[in-house]
Amino acid sequence: MAKEPWLEPLLKWTGQTDSLVIPSVDSTLEAMNEAGVDISILSAWHGPGGSLISNQEVATQIDQAPERFRGLVSVDLNRPMEAVREIRRWVDNDRFVGVRVVPWLWDLPPNDRKYYPIYTACVDLGVPFCTQIGHTGPLLRSETGRPIPYLEDVLLDFPELKVVGGHVGFPWIDELISLTIKFPNFYVDTSAYALHRLPTSFVDFLKGMGSKRVMFGTNWPMLSPAQCLKHLESLGLSEEQRSNFLGNNAMRVFVL
């Protein structure tokens, strides 16, 4: 995955072009400890070309620090029954606490029929479906990350499904906010953003009606927890808003 050409702009932006970015358990735990992060949710990655980070690789990392790591399963959209079996195999609401598929990697919006068996499996198991919203940093199309109509269709068709949209949703912040008003089971994380770079409208949302919908995320190893949290005080969060953002919302959604 570290050699994929679509990662080049991310490596350039984060100043990591000199060597492959391949985190170890030790380096991940060190980064977490530096920022005071208790638990990280590690994601598998699967794309049209096959597995990039397998569910087994994530499981192996969880085995080495079971009190600090949880996992998200990823699956092959082109093999729906195999995908459902893989979700049922790994998701136990203890070590693996959700499923994640990145639409831009497949160039398929989340209302495509290939996702629907996966949503059904998530509802049956009571776990969130995690995805990406907003523009795509890698050199692939951004349209699949637009919240309306693509994600709205999913939320309408699966009212029991918990959905976590990663990467803030810029430039469609208004669409994002409208979905959180309309759907009580839709959540957002701030992965891929250092907090001082969050759009002003998103910060206003976080401090208002989004205080119980938004959870902290990084983009490790592209961005470390410490980098993302460096300007936390500049957001002006109340104690309750801060606690919800840094832990309470994620604990509730992922049942940590």
Side-chain angles (χ1 to χ4, degrees), residues 64-108:
Q64 296 178 64
E67 300 302 316
R68 306 294 301 279
F69 294 151
R70 301 292 186 272
L72 297 176
V73 172
S74 195
V75 293
D76 186 348
L77 293 182
N78 289 325
R79 299 178 178 270
M81 283 311 304
E82 182 179 309
V84 169
R85 294 187 186 106
E86 189 78 350
I87 292 169
R88 290 173 177 166
R89 174 190 176 194
W90 290 107
V91 171
D92 57 4
N93 288 286
D94 180 23
R95 288 155 51 83
F96 282 85
V97 295
V99 176
R100 184 170 183 262
V101 178
V102 182
W104 55 259
L105 194 54
W106 292 88
D107 198 24
L108 291 174

mmCIF file of all heavy atoms in Angstrom, residues 64-108:
data_model
loop_
_atom_site.group_PDB
_atom_site.id
_atom_site.type_symbol
_atom_site.label_atom_id
_atom_site.label_comp_id
_atom_site.label_asym_id
_atom_site.label_seq_id
_atom_site.Cartn_x
_atom_site.Cartn_y
_atom_site.Cartn_z
ATOM 1 N N GLN A 64 -0.815 -8.081 19.578
ATOM 2 C CA GLN A 64 0.381 -7.601 20.257
ATOM 3 C C GLN A 64 0.090 -6.502 21.276
ATOM 4 O O GLN A 64 0.939 -6.192 22.122
ATOM 5 C CB GLN A 64 1.393 -7.095 19.227
ATOM 6 C CG GLN A 64 1.892 -8.200 18.308
ATOM 7 C CD GLN A 64 2.856 -7.671 17.270
ATOM 8 O OE1 GLN A 64 3.944 -7.181 17.604
ATOM 9 N NE2 GLN A 64 2.476 -7.777 15.996
ATOM 10 N N ALA A 65 -1.102 -5.898 21.207
ATOM 11 C CA ALA A 65 -1.479 -4.862 22.177
ATOM 12 C C ALA A 65 -2.997 -4.861 22.314
ATOM 13 O O ALA A 65 -3.665 -3.889 21.963
ATOM 14 C CB ALA A 65 -0.966 -3.492 21.731
ATOM 15 N N PRO A 66 -3.587 -5.939 22.818
ATOM 16 C CA PRO A 66 -5.047 -6.082 22.809
ATOM 17 C C PRO A 66 -5.790 -5.064 23.653
ATOM 18 O O PRO A 66 -6.987 -4.841 23.430
ATOM 19 C CB PRO A 66 -5.254 -7.505 23.343
ATOM 20 C CG PRO A 66 -4.009 -7.833 24.092
ATOM 21 C CD PRO A 66 -2.904 -7.118 23.382
ATOM 22 N N GLU A 67 -5.125 -4.436 24.615
ATOM 23 C CA GLU A 67 -5.786 -3.423 25.431
ATOM 24 C C GLU A 67 -5.781 -2.054 24.764
ATOM 25 O O GLU A 67 -6.528 -1.163 25.165
ATOM 26 C CB GLU A 67 -5.099 -3.313 26.801
ATOM 27 C CG GLU A 67 -5.111 -4.596 27.612
ATOM 28 C CD GLU A 67 -6.527 -5.085 27.853
ATOM 29 O OE1 GLU A 67 -7.399 -4.253 28.187
ATOM 30 O OE2 GLU A 67 -6.776 -6.299 27.703
ATOM 31 N N ARG A 68 -4.951 -1.902 23.713
ATOM 32 C CA ARG A 68 -4.782 -0.592 23.093
ATOM 33 C C ARG A 68 -5.369 -0.500 21.694
ATOM 34 O O ARG A 68 -5.605 0.614 21.209
ATOM 35 C CB ARG A 68 -3.280 -0.245 23.005
ATOM 36 C CG ARG A 68 -2.519 -0.318 24.309
ATOM 37 C CD ARG A 68 -2.964 0.725 25.316
ATOM 38 N NE ARG A 68 -2.820 2.084 24.850
ATOM 39 C CZ ARG A 68 -1.656 2.769 24.872
ATOM 40 N NH1 ARG A 68 -0.554 2.205 25.335
ATOM 41 N NH2 ARG A 68 -1.612 4.013 24.449
ATOM 42 N N PHE A 69 -5.594 -1.636 21.039
ATOM 43 C CA PHE A 69 -6.042 -1.631 19.645
ATOM 44 C C PHE A 69 -7.403 -2.294 19.490
ATOM 45 O O PHE A 69 -7.727 -3.279 20.166
ATOM 46 C CB PHE A 69 -5.058 -2.392 18.753
ATOM 47 C CG PHE A 69 -3.702 -1.769 18.612
ATOM 48 C CD1 PHE A 69 -2.588 -2.566 18.386
ATOM 49 C CD2 PHE A 69 -3.533 -0.399 18.672
ATOM 50 C CE1 PHE A 69 -1.329 -2.011 18.236
ATOM 51 C CE2 PHE A 69 -2.274 0.172 18.523
ATOM 52 C CZ PHE A 69 -1.171 -0.633 18.307
ATOM 53 N N ARG A 70 -8.194 -1.739 18.568
ATOM 54 C CA ARG A 70 -9.378 -2.389 18.041
ATOM 55 C C ARG A 70 -9.263 -2.347 16.511
ATOM 56 O O ARG A 70 -8.460 -1.596 15.971
ATOM 57 C CB ARG A 70 -10.667 -1.687 18.481
ATOM 58 C CG ARG A 70 -10.841 -1.612 19.973
ATOM 59 C CD ARG A 70 -11.086 -2.965 20.624
ATOM 60 N NE ARG A 70 -11.384 -2.798 22.041
ATOM 61 C CZ ARG A 70 -10.454 -2.752 22.995
ATOM 62 N NH1 ARG A 70 -9.171 -2.839 22.683
ATOM 63 N NH2 ARG A 70 -10.810 -2.601 24.254
ATOM 64 N N GLY A 71 -10.085 -3.134 15.817
ATOM 65 C CA GLY A 71 -9.939 -3.222 14.377
ATOM 66 C C GLY A 71 -11.216 -2.944 13.608
ATOM 67 O O GLY A 71 -12.327 -3.097 14.123
ATOM 68 N N LEU A 72 -11.039 -2.522 12.338
ATOM 69 C CA LEU A 72 -12.126 -2.387 11.364
ATOM 70 C C LEU A 72 -11.837 -3.329 10.208
ATOM 71 O O LEU A 72 -10.748 -3.311 9.639
ATOM 72 C CB LEU A 72 -12.223 -0.951 10.842
ATOM 73 C CG LEU A 72 -12.563 0.141 11.857
ATOM 74 C CD1 LEU A 72 -12.527 1.510 11.181
ATOM 75 C CD2 LEU A 72 -13.922 -0.103 12.490
ATOM 76 N N VAL A 73 -12.822 -4.135 9.858
ATOM 77 C CA VAL A 73 -12.705 -5.079 8.760
ATOM 78 C C VAL A 73 -12.884 -4.348 7.432
ATOM 79 O O VAL A 73 -13.682 -3.411 7.340
ATOM 80 C CB VAL A 73 -13.783 -6.179 8.900
ATOM 81 C CG1 VAL A 73 -13.821 -7.076 7.674
ATOM 82 C CG2 VAL A 73 -13.536 -6.993 10.162
ATOM 83 N N SER A 74 -12.161 -4.781 6.416
ATOM 84 C CA SER A 74 -12.418 -4.311 5.057
ATOM 85 C C SER A 74 -12.602 -5.523 4.158
ATOM 86 O O SER A 74 -12.059 -6.602 4.440
ATOM 87 C CB SER A 74 -11.275 -3.435 4.547
ATOM 88 O OG SER A 74 -11.672 -2.723 3.387
ATOM 89 N N VAL A 75 -13.378 -5.358 3.086
ATOM 90 C CA VAL A 75 -13.789 -6.507 2.271
ATOM 91 C C VAL A 75 -13.769 -6.173 0.787
ATOM 92 O O VAL A 75 -13.657 -5.017 0.390
ATOM 93 C CB VAL A 75 -15.208 -6.983 2.675
ATOM 94 C CG1 VAL A 75 -15.212 -7.554 4.078
ATOM 95 C CG2 VAL A 75 -16.228 -5.849 2.536
ATOM 96 N N ASP A 76 -13.936 -7.226 -0.012
ATOM 97 C CA ASP A 76 -13.953 -7.115 -1.470
ATOM 98 C C ASP A 76 -15.392 -6.891 -1.937
ATOM 99 O O ASP A 76 -16.240 -7.787 -1.842
ATOM 100 C CB ASP A 76 -13.394 -8.406 -2.067
ATOM 101 C CG ASP A 76 -13.231 -8.341 -3.574
ATOM 102 O OD1 ASP A 76 -13.749 -7.388 -4.204
ATOM 103 O OD2 ASP A 76 -12.589 -9.256 -4.129
ATOM 104 N N LEU A 77 -15.684 -5.707 -2.465
ATOM 105 C CA LEU A 77 -17.036 -5.396 -2.934
ATOM 106 C C LEU A 77 -17.474 -6.274 -4.100
ATOM 107 O O LEU A 77 -18.674 -6.463 -4.324
ATOM 108 C CB LEU A 77 -17.121 -3.925 -3.356
ATOM 109 C CG LEU A 77 -16.990 -2.857 -2.278
ATOM 110 C CD1 LEU A 77 -17.165 -1.474 -2.912
ATOM 111 C CD2 LEU A 77 -17.987 -3.056 -1.162
ATOM 112 N N ASN A 78 -16.525 -6.809 -4.854
ATOM 113 C CA ASN A 78 -16.878 -7.609 -6.025
ATOM 114 C C ASN A 78 -17.295 -9.033 -5.675
ATOM 115 O O ASN A 78 -17.743 -9.780 -6.553
ATOM 116 C CB ASN A 78 -15.695 -7.655 -7.007
ATOM 117 C CG ASN A 78 -15.465 -6.320 -7.694
ATOM 118 O OD1 ASN A 78 -16.419 -5.594 -7.979
ATOM 119 N ND2 ASN A 78 -14.211 -5.984 -7.943
ATOM 120 N N ARG A 79 -17.142 -9.421 -4.420
ATOM 121 C CA ARG A 79 -17.517 -10.769 -3.967
ATOM 122 C C ARG A 79 -18.443 -10.634 -2.763
ATOM 123 O O ARG A 79 -18.012 -10.788 -1.611
ATOM 124 C CB ARG A 79 -16.269 -11.580 -3.624
ATOM 125 C CG ARG A 79 -15.329 -11.784 -4.801
ATOM 126 C CD ARG A 79 -14.074 -12.543 -4.407
ATOM 127 N NE ARG A 79 -13.207 -12.769 -5.534
ATOM 128 C CZ ARG A 79 -13.253 -13.841 -6.330
ATOM 129 N NH1 ARG A 79 -14.174 -14.771 -6.097
ATOM 130 N NH2 ARG A 79 -12.428 -13.989 -7.332
ATOM 131 N N PRO A 80 -19.709 -10.329 -2.988
ATOM 132 C CA PRO A 80 -20.604 -9.964 -1.892
ATOM 133 C C PRO A 80 -20.770 -11.031 -0.819
ATOM 134 O O PRO A 80 -20.742 -10.716 0.375
ATOM 135 C CB PRO A 80 -21.928 -9.642 -2.591
ATOM 136 C CG PRO A 80 -21.826 -10.269 -3.946
ATOM 137 C CD PRO A 80 -20.386 -10.245 -4.301
ATOM 138 N N MET A 81 -20.952 -12.286 -1.202
ATOM 139 C CA MET A 81 -21.135 -13.319 -0.183
ATOM 140 C C MET A 81 -19.841 -13.588 0.579
ATOM 141 O O MET A 81 -19.848 -13.782 1.798
ATOM 142 C CB MET A 81 -21.665 -14.613 -0.801
ATOM 143 C CG MET A 81 -23.149 -14.568 -1.117
ATOM 144 S SD MET A 81 -24.173 -13.976 0.275
ATOM 145 C CE MET A 81 -23.727 -15.123 1.571
ATOM 146 N N GLU A 82 -18.735 -13.557 -0.132
ATOM 147 C CA GLU A 82 -17.441 -13.699 0.546
ATOM 148 C C GLU A 82 -17.213 -12.531 1.508
ATOM 149 O O GLU A 82 -16.676 -12.717 2.610
ATOM 150 C CB GLU A 82 -16.320 -13.761 -0.489
ATOM 151 C CG GLU A 82 -14.936 -13.965 0.100
ATOM 152 C CD GLU A 82 -13.861 -14.048 -0.970
ATOM 153 O OE1 GLU A 82 -14.044 -14.853 -1.915
ATOM 154 O OE2 GLU A 82 -12.870 -13.298 -0.873
ATOM 155 N N ALA A 83 -17.648 -11.346 1.096
ATOM 156 C CA ALA A 83 -17.510 -10.163 1.958
ATOM 157 C C ALA A 83 -18.325 -10.331 3.238
ATOM 158 O O ALA A 83 -17.847 -10.046 4.338
ATOM 159 C CB ALA A 83 -17.952 -8.914 1.209
ATOM 160 N N VAL A 84 -19.558 -10.814 3.096
ATOM 161 C CA VAL A 84 -20.407 -11.019 4.273
ATOM 162 C C VAL A 84 -19.795 -12.069 5.194
ATOM 163 O O VAL A 84 -19.777 -11.902 6.420
ATOM 164 C CB VAL A 84 -21.827 -11.430 3.829
ATOM 165 C CG1 VAL A 84 -22.650 -11.904 5.029
ATOM 166 C CG2 VAL A 84 -22.520 -10.252 3.149
ATOM 167 N N ARG A 85 -19.294 -13.156 4.622
ATOM 168 C CA ARG A 85 -18.659 -14.194 5.457
ATOM 169 C C ARG A 85 -17.421 -13.660 6.169
ATOM 170 O O ARG A 85 -17.144 -14.010 7.318
ATOM 171 C CB ARG A 85 -18.303 -15.401 4.590
ATOM 172 C CG ARG A 85 -19.520 -16.135 4.029
ATOM 173 C CD ARG A 85 -19.111 -17.415 3.312
ATOM 174 N NE ARG A 85 -20.279 -18.018 2.671
ATOM 175 C CZ ARG A 85 -20.503 -17.996 1.365
ATOM 176 N NH1 ARG A 85 -19.645 -17.398 0.547
ATOM 177 N NH2 ARG A 85 -21.588 -18.566 0.865
ATOM 178 N N GLU A 86 -16.674 -12.814 5.479
ATOM 179 C CA GLU A 86 -15.472 -12.233 6.091
ATOM 180 C C GLU A 86 -15.848 -11.324 7.256
ATOM 181 O O GLU A 86 -15.201 -11.337 8.310
ATOM 182 C CB GLU A 86 -14.698 -11.444 5.018
ATOM 183 C CG GLU A 86 -13.332 -10.971 5.446
ATOM 184 C CD GLU A 86 -12.270 -12.065 5.419
ATOM 185 O OE1 GLU A 86 -12.601 -13.251 5.250
ATOM 186 O OE2 GLU A 86 -11.098 -11.710 5.592
ATOM 187 N N ILE A 87 -16.903 -10.548 7.097
ATOM 188 C CA ILE A 87 -17.372 -9.694 8.187
ATOM 189 C C ILE A 87 -17.806 -10.547 9.369
ATOM 190 O O ILE A 87 -17.436 -10.293 10.526
ATOM 191 C CB ILE A 87 -18.520 -8.799 7.704
ATOM 192 C CG1 ILE A 87 -18.000 -7.766 6.689
ATOM 193 C CG2 ILE A 87 -19.192 -8.086 8.885
ATOM 194 C CD1 ILE A 87 -19.096 -7.023 5.958
ATOM 195 N N ARG A 88 -18.563 -11.595 9.106
ATOM 196 C CA ARG A 88 -19.035 -12.468 10.192
ATOM 197 C C ARG A 88 -17.879 -13.214 10.853
ATOM 198 O O ARG A 88 -17.937 -13.530 12.048
ATOM 199 C CB ARG A 88 -20.061 -13.455 9.645
ATOM 200 C CG ARG A 88 -21.388 -12.789 9.259
ATOM 201 C CD ARG A 88 -22.318 -13.767 8.572
ATOM 202 N NE ARG A 88 -23.608 -13.154 8.271
ATOM 203 C CZ ARG A 88 -24.509 -13.676 7.447
ATOM 204 N NH1 ARG A 88 -24.261 -14.837 6.848
ATOM 205 N NH2 ARG A 88 -25.644 -13.060 7.227
ATOM 206 N N ARG A 89 -16.858 -13.478 10.086
ATOM 207 C CA ARG A 89 -15.694 -14.182 10.646
ATOM 208 C C ARG A 89 -14.934 -13.316 11.642
ATOM 209 O O ARG A 89 -14.520 -13.787 12.699
ATOM 210 C CB ARG A 89 -14.760 -14.602 9.505
ATOM 211 C CG ARG A 89 -13.450 -15.218 9.992
ATOM 212 C CD ARG A 89 -12.470 -15.399 8.846
ATOM 213 N NE ARG A 89 -11.183 -15.893 9.331
ATOM 214 C CZ ARG A 89 -10.054 -15.898 8.624
ATOM 215 N NH1 ARG A 89 -10.071 -15.457 7.372
ATOM 216 N NH2 ARG A 89 -8.930 -16.341 9.146
ATOM 217 N N TRP A 90 -14.760 -12.047 11.302
ATOM 218 C CA TRP A 90 -13.871 -11.201 12.089
ATOM 219 C C TRP A 90 -14.585 -10.325 13.125
ATOM 220 O O TRP A 90 -14.050 -10.105 14.214
ATOM 221 C CB TRP A 90 -13.048 -10.301 11.162
ATOM 222 C CG TRP A 90 -12.021 -11.021 10.369
ATOM 223 C CD1 TRP A 90 -12.068 -11.294 9.027
ATOM 224 C CD2 TRP A 90 -10.788 -11.570 10.835
ATOM 225 N NE1 TRP A 90 -10.952 -11.974 8.631
ATOM 226 C CE2 TRP A 90 -10.138 -12.156 9.730
ATOM 227 C CE3 TRP A 90 -10.164 -11.616 12.086
ATOM 228 C CZ2 TRP A 90 -8.901 -12.785 9.829
ATOM 229 C CZ3 TRP A 90 -8.923 -12.244 12.198
ATOM 230 C CH2 TRP A 90 -8.312 -12.821 11.079
ATOM 231 N N VAL A 91 -15.737 -9.800 12.777
ATOM 232 C CA VAL A 91 -16.391 -8.838 13.685
ATOM 233 C C VAL A 91 -16.966 -9.573 14.886
ATOM 234 O O VAL A 91 -17.826 -10.447 14.748
ATOM 235 C CB VAL A 91 -17.498 -8.061 12.950
ATOM 236 C CG1 VAL A 91 -18.308 -7.229 13.943
ATOM 237 C CG2 VAL A 91 -16.881 -7.148 11.890
ATOM 238 N N ASP A 92 -16.473 -9.222 16.066
ATOM 239 C CA ASP A 92 -16.915 -9.873 17.301
ATOM 240 C C ASP A 92 -17.358 -8.869 18.363
ATOM 241 O O ASP A 92 -17.624 -9.252 19.501
ATOM 242 C CB ASP A 92 -15.795 -10.748 17.856
ATOM 243 C CG ASP A 92 -14.497 -9.968 18.107
ATOM 244 O OD1 ASP A 92 -14.491 -8.729 17.911
ATOM 245 O OD2 ASP A 92 -13.501 -10.598 18.491
ATOM 246 N N ASN A 93 -17.385 -7.578 18.004
ATOM 247 C CA ASN A 93 -17.750 -6.516 18.949
ATOM 248 C C ASN A 93 -16.803 -6.450 20.138
ATOM 249 O O ASN A 93 -17.153 -5.925 21.201
ATOM 250 C CB ASN A 93 -19.199 -6.688 19.435
ATOM 251 C CG ASN A 93 -20.206 -6.353 18.365
ATOM 252 O OD1 ASN A 93 -20.418 -5.202 18.040
ATOM 253 N ND2 ASN A 93 -20.804 -7.389 17.779
ATOM 254 N N ASP A 94 -15.618 -6.959 19.966
ATOM 255 C CA ASP A 94 -14.600 -6.919 21.024
ATOM 256 C C ASP A 94 -13.276 -6.467 20.417
ATOM 257 O O ASP A 94 -12.823 -5.359 20.672
ATOM 258 C CB ASP A 94 -14.471 -8.297 21.666
ATOM 259 C CG ASP A 94 -13.423 -8.338 22.768
ATOM 260 O OD1 ASP A 94 -13.121 -7.255 23.331
ATOM 261 O OD2 ASP A 94 -12.904 -9.431 23.062
ATOM 262 N N ARG A 95 -12.698 -7.300 19.586
ATOM 263 C CA ARG A 95 -11.459 -6.928 18.892
ATOM 264 C C ARG A 95 -11.779 -6.147 17.622
ATOM 265 O O ARG A 95 -11.227 -5.071 17.396
ATOM 266 C CB ARG A 95 -10.659 -8.190 18.564
ATOM 267 C CG ARG A 95 -10.025 -8.851 19.772
ATOM 268 C CD ARG A 95 -9.783 -10.341 19.528
ATOM 269 N NE ARG A 95 -9.077 -10.610 18.275
ATOM 270 C CZ ARG A 95 -7.752 -10.539 18.129
ATOM 271 N NH1 ARG A 95 -6.992 -10.197 19.163
ATOM 272 N NH2 ARG A 95 -7.172 -10.824 16.974
ATOM 273 N N PHE A 96 -12.670 -6.667 16.800
ATOM 274 C CA PHE A 96 -13.101 -5.959 15.585
ATOM 275 C C PHE A 96 -14.483 -5.367 15.829
ATOM 276 O O PHE A 96 -15.430 -6.095 16.134
ATOM 277 C CB PHE A 96 -13.114 -6.903 14.388
ATOM 278 C CG PHE A 96 -11.750 -7.172 13.811
ATOM 279 C CD1 PHE A 96 -10.950 -8.166 14.337
ATOM 280 C CD2 PHE A 96 -11.269 -6.406 12.753
ATOM 281 C CE1 PHE A 96 -9.679 -8.416 13.811
ATOM 282 C CE2 PHE A 96 -10.005 -6.648 12.222
ATOM 283 C CZ PHE A 96 -9.205 -7.657 12.755
ATOM 284 N N VAL A 97 -14.569 -4.041 15.684
ATOM 285 C CA VAL A 97 -15.770 -3.324 16.134
ATOM 286 C C VAL A 97 -16.499 -2.596 15.012
ATOM 287 O O VAL A 97 -17.387 -1.780 15.274
ATOM 288 C CB VAL A 97 -15.402 -2.328 17.253
ATOM 289 C CG1 VAL A 97 -14.911 -3.062 18.485
ATOM 290 C CG2 VAL A 97 -14.348 -1.308 16.770
ATOM 291 N N GLY A 98 -16.156 -2.884 13.766
ATOM 292 C CA GLY A 98 -16.826 -2.229 12.658
ATOM 293 C C GLY A 98 -16.253 -2.655 11.327
ATOM 294 O O GLY A 98 -15.350 -3.499 11.250
ATOM 295 N N VAL A 99 -16.791 -2.061 10.263
ATOM 296 C CA VAL A 99 -16.383 -2.349 8.890
ATOM 297 C C VAL A 99 -16.055 -1.033 8.208
ATOM 298 O O VAL A 99 -16.715 -0.019 8.451
ATOM 299 C CB VAL A 99 -17.512 -3.080 8.128
ATOM 300 C CG1 VAL A 99 -17.128 -3.301 6.670
ATOM 301 C CG2 VAL A 99 -17.859 -4.400 8.812
ATOM 302 N N ARG A 100 -15.043 -1.041 7.360
ATOM 303 C CA ARG A 100 -14.676 0.192 6.655
ATOM 304 C C ARG A 100 -14.402 -0.095 5.188
ATOM 305 O O ARG A 100 -13.632 -1.001 4.856
ATOM 306 C CB ARG A 100 -13.441 0.839 7.287
ATOM 307 C CG ARG A 100 -13.057 2.192 6.659
ATOM 308 C CD ARG A 100 -11.990 2.889 7.499
ATOM 309 N NE ARG A 100 -11.655 4.202 6.991
ATOM 310 C CZ ARG A 100 -10.594 4.473 6.215
ATOM 311 N NH1 ARG A 100 -9.768 3.505 5.862
ATOM 312 N NH2 ARG A 100 -10.353 5.701 5.806
ATOM 313 N N VAL A 101 -15.030 0.690 4.323
ATOM 314 C CA VAL A 101 -14.784 0.648 2.888
ATOM 315 C C VAL A 101 -14.619 2.080 2.401
ATOM 316 O O VAL A 101 -15.421 2.960 2.747
ATOM 317 C CB VAL A 101 -15.934 -0.041 2.126
ATOM 318 C CG1 VAL A 101 -15.659 -0.017 0.623
ATOM 319 C CG2 VAL A 101 -16.114 -1.479 2.610
ATOM 320 N N VAL A 102 -13.590 2.323 1.604
ATOM 321 C CA VAL A 102 -13.275 3.670 1.116
ATOM 322 C C VAL A 102 -13.788 3.815 -0.318
ATOM 323 O O VAL A 102 -13.254 3.188 -1.240
ATOM 324 C CB VAL A 102 -11.758 3.922 1.163
ATOM 325 C CG1 VAL A 102 -11.433 5.329 0.693
ATOM 326 C CG2 VAL A 102 -11.234 3.707 2.585
ATOM 327 N N PRO A 103 -14.827 4.630 -0.549
ATOM 328 C CA PRO A 103 -15.444 4.706 -1.887
ATOM 329 C C PRO A 103 -14.510 5.143 -2.999
ATOM 330 O O PRO A 103 -14.603 4.638 -4.124
ATOM 331 C CB PRO A 103 -16.587 5.706 -1.686
ATOM 332 C CG PRO A 103 -16.914 5.624 -0.237
ATOM 333 C CD PRO A 103 -15.598 5.399 0.440
ATOM 334 N N TRP A 104 -13.617 6.118 -2.730
ATOM 335 C CA TRP A 104 -12.766 6.606 -3.809
ATOM 336 C C TRP A 104 -11.817 5.525 -4.317
ATOM 337 O O TRP A 104 -11.394 5.548 -5.476
ATOM 338 C CB TRP A 104 -11.985 7.847 -3.390
ATOM 339 C CG TRP A 104 -11.136 7.732 -2.157
ATOM 340 C CD1 TRP A 104 -11.445 8.194 -0.915
ATOM 341 C CD2 TRP A 104 -9.824 7.164 -2.050
ATOM 342 N NE1 TRP A 104 -10.423 7.935 -0.031
ATOM 343 C CE2 TRP A 104 -9.410 7.304 -0.713
ATOM 344 C CE3 TRP A 104 -8.958 6.549 -2.953
ATOM 345 C CZ2 TRP A 104 -8.175 6.851 -0.243
ATOM 346 C CZ3 TRP A 104 -7.723 6.089 -2.492
ATOM 347 C CH2 TRP A 104 -7.347 6.247 -1.154
ATOM 348 N N LEU A 105 -11.473 4.570 -3.461
ATOM 349 C CA LEU A 105 -10.580 3.501 -3.874
ATOM 350 C C LEU A 105 -11.241 2.606 -4.928
ATOM 351 O O LEU A 105 -10.588 2.083 -5.823
ATOM 352 C CB LEU A 105 -10.190 2.679 -2.646
ATOM 353 C CG LEU A 105 -9.029 1.706 -2.766
ATOM 354 C CD1 LEU A 105 -7.770 2.394 -3.274
ATOM 355 C CD2 LEU A 105 -8.767 1.049 -1.414
ATOM 356 N N TRP A 106 -12.558 2.460 -4.802
ATOM 357 C CA TRP A 106 -13.332 1.634 -5.736
ATOM 358 C C TRP A 106 -13.961 2.453 -6.855
ATOM 359 O O TRP A 106 -14.472 1.884 -7.824
ATOM 360 C CB TRP A 106 -14.455 0.922 -4.970
ATOM 361 C CG TRP A 106 -13.964 -0.110 -4.027
ATOM 362 C CD1 TRP A 106 -13.588 0.064 -2.718
ATOM 363 C CD2 TRP A 106 -13.771 -1.494 -4.316
ATOM 364 N NE1 TRP A 106 -13.184 -1.122 -2.175
ATOM 365 C CE2 TRP A 106 -13.286 -2.105 -3.128
ATOM 366 C CE3 TRP A 106 -13.981 -2.290 -5.446
ATOM 367 C CZ2 TRP A 106 -12.994 -3.453 -3.047
ATOM 368 C CZ3 TRP A 106 -13.691 -3.640 -5.375
ATOM 369 C CH2 TRP A 106 -13.190 -4.211 -4.190
ATOM 370 N N ASP A 107 -13.974 3.766 -6.724
ATOM 371 C CA ASP A 107 -14.693 4.662 -7.637
ATOM 372 C C ASP A 107 -16.169 4.262 -7.720
ATOM 373 O O ASP A 107 -16.788 4.300 -8.788
ATOM 374 C CB ASP A 107 -14.067 4.657 -9.030
ATOM 375 C CG ASP A 107 -14.499 5.875 -9.861
ATOM 376 O OD1 ASP A 107 -14.877 6.897 -9.248
ATOM 377 O OD2 ASP A 107 -14.450 5.798 -11.105
ATOM 378 N N LEU A 108 -16.719 3.903 -6.552
ATOM 379 C CA LEU A 108 -18.127 3.546 -6.436
ATOM 380 C C LEU A 108 -18.725 4.294 -5.254
ATOM 381 O O LEU A 108 -18.250 4.134 -4.117
ATOM 382 C CB LEU A 108 -18.299 2.034 -6.203
ATOM 383 C CG LEU A 108 -17.950 1.095 -7.355
ATOM 384 C CD1 LEU A 108 -18.049 -0.355 -6.878
ATOM 385 C CD2 LEU A 108 -18.863 1.324 -8.549
#
